[in-house]
Amino acid sequence: MNVEVVEEKVKWSYSDNVIHAPEQETANTEQDFKRHIICGAIAGATSRCVTAPLDRLKVLLQVQNQVKVASRELNITQMLLHMIKNEGIRSMWRGNAVNVCKIMPEQAMRFFLFEYFLNSAKHLLPSLNENHPTKFKFLCGACTGLTVQTMVYPWEIVKTRRMTSPKSIPIIISELGLSGLWRGITPALAGVMPFAAIELGLSRHLTDHFKASGGSNELSWNKLLLIGATSTTVAMASTYPFRLMTCQVQASDARTKSPGLVGWFADTFKRYDKFPDKLTKGFYRGFMANAIKTIPSSAIVWWAYNKSQTVYDSYTYDR
């Protein structure tokens, strides 16, 4: 027996003790996911083009022990001047095409999957969502990071090598081989899960907090930038050693054996005698350059993502 009940112009269907979601709600959900995909891609491309020089500067500082960039170790200012003097201004955008091709689907998937996990997990873990909403957001962020990193990791390898080498992309791929495209995946996942949990979870928590305290769904540009910068700073400071190891393994010779997660930490700890050097020159090498690039990049992503949603909603509403 099938019974249909009309309530508030939304049709629900009941058959064999199963409740079927209304078509209007399903359509709205699909429209929301489409919005997250489009706005995520726009935010990623915008941020990457603006911060491309900082991204290459960060990578070169991180891998100058593995790849000979200059005759001696350089700091941030020296590396920047070295790039401009020896390679020209355009070299600061080397590898940006690969970067944009990687970041657009990555950010699109990232925001789509985060919203998908948030919506789906509400039904699977209702008590966690109701009693511990912040932990729930962090958990969805970690699942998002794990999924996205696994899908885009080969592009990460190619991007890093393109930035540190003048070789073309086909040559890089042929040298790496199929197995080489997944080199360093273990430390990458170990770092990206807590990073995504903190960054996405904290961003959503702060956004919801500001909207609730301000009584408006629209946040100013400075609050959006502040939210993106704060969440990324906390996430990066907590997980940076894992990201550094991943970058160094990606840039190293594919013929050399990777030391592994535990081996890398042990080697880095033994390399320097003084404890401050173990941090600044070891586990947190290139941290300031990374922060200079990553913090404004993430701030721009969160601002562009939210603002592009506003534009998208106004466009679809007008239609």
Side-chain angles (χ1 to χ4, degrees):
M1 178 179 179
N2 294 341
V3 180
E4 293 186 346
V5 180
V6 178
E7 182 177 356
E8 295 180 355
K9 298 183 180 180
V10 178
K11 185 178 291 186
W12 290 80
S13 300
Y14 299 81
S15 62
D16 300 326
N17 297 323
V18 177
I19 302 176
H20 302 281
E23 294 182 1
Q24 180 178 339
E25 182 176 302
T26 303
N28 290 338
T29 302
E30 292 176 352
Q31 185 68 18
D32 285 341
F33 286 153
K34 180 180 178 182
R35 179 183 65 171
H36 296 311
I37 291 173
I38 294 175
C39 295
I42 293 173
T46 303
S47 172
R48 189 62 57 167
C49 290
V50 172
T51 61
L54 295 176
D55 191 31
R56 184 160 188 255
L57 176 64
K58 173 206 72 174
V59 171
L60 291 177
L61 285 168
Q62 287 179 327
V63 306
Q64 59 179 324
N65 280 350
Q66 281 68 38
V67 180
K68 188 176 181 181
V69 179
S71 58
R72 59 188 176 88
E73 189 169 312
L74 306 177
N75 59 31
I76 296 177
T77 305
Q78 292 169 339
M79 182 66 77
L80 180 61
L81 295 176
H82 175 82
M83 288 169 54
I84 297 174
K85 180 180 178 180
N86 293 277
E87 301 177 8
I89 294 292
R90 292 184 61 184
S91 69
M92 300 176 72
W93 277 266
R94 177 186 292 175
N96 190 52
V98 179
N99 246 334
V100 172
C101 290
K102 167 189 169 290
I103 202 65
M104 288 185 68
E106 178 181 346
Q107 290 291 356
M109 286 188 295
R110 188 165 172 263
F111 285 111
F112 162 73
L113 287 172
F114 184 55
E115 297 296 333
Y116 176 80
F117 285 131
L118 283 174
N119 284 278
S120 300
K122 285 179 181 178
H123 306 289
L124 298 175
L125 303 169
S127 60
L128 181 63
N129 178 41
E130 293 175 4
N131 301 324
H132 306 282
T134 303
K135 293 181 180 179
F136 177 76
K137 294 167 187 173
F138 277 51
L139 175 62
C140 293
C143 293
T144 301
L146 173 66
T147 307
V148 172
Q149 183 71 7
T150 303
M151 297 175 71
V152 304
Y153 189 77
W155 272 110
E156 192 74 34
I157 288 267
V158 174
K159 179 206 77 171
T160 302
R161 288 183 172 270
R162 182 71 183 91
M163 285 182 166
T164 58
S165 169
K167 297 177 182 177
S168 64
I169 295 176
I171 293 177
I172 292 173
I173 294 176
S174 64
E175 288 181 349
L176 286 171
L178 184 60
S179 61
L181 292 174
W182 299 97
R183 183 180 175 89
I185 185 67
T186 301
L189 293 179
V192 79
M193 288 184 65
F195 181 89
I198 297 171
E199 187 187 37
L200 288 172
L202 188 57
S203 294
R204 175 52 67 88
H205 175 74
L206 291 175
T207 301
D208 293 343
H209 171 75
F210 278 120
K211 287 182 177 180
S213 60
S216 172
N217 286 329
E218 290 294 325
L219 296 181
S220 61
W221 64 270
N222 55 331
K223 285 185 178 180
L224 291 172
L225 291 176
L226 177 63
I227 289 170
T230 302
S231 59
T232 301
T233 301
V234 176
M236 187 172 62
S238 305
T239 64
Y240 185 78
F242 294 100
R243 303 183 73 186
L244 176 62
M245 178 190 174
T246 302
C247 189
Q248 292 183 350
V249 171
Q250 289 172 348
S252 63
D253 193 333
R255 294 169 293 183
T256 60
K257 184 179 179 180
S258 174
L261 187 61
V262 178
W264 181 85
F265 273 94
D267 292 343
T268 303
F269 191 83
K270 294 176 182 177
R271 191 176 301 154
Y272 304 97
D273 296 328
K274 298 179 180 180
F275 183 75
D277 290 340
K278 295 178 187 294
L279 295 177
T280 58
K281 297 182 180 179
F283 298 116
Y284 282 84
R285 171 183 292 274
F287 179 81
M288 288 306 300
N290 202 333
I292 290 172
K293 176 265 169 185
T294 304
I295 293 175
S297 175
S298 298
I300 293 172
V301 164
W302 196 249
W303 166 80
Y305 174 67
N306 282 271
K307 289 303 179 183
S308 60
Q309 285 189 91
T310 302
V311 175
Y312 180 90
D313 290 343
S314 63
Y315 173 74
T316 54
Y317 179 78
D318 291 339
R319 294 185 63 185

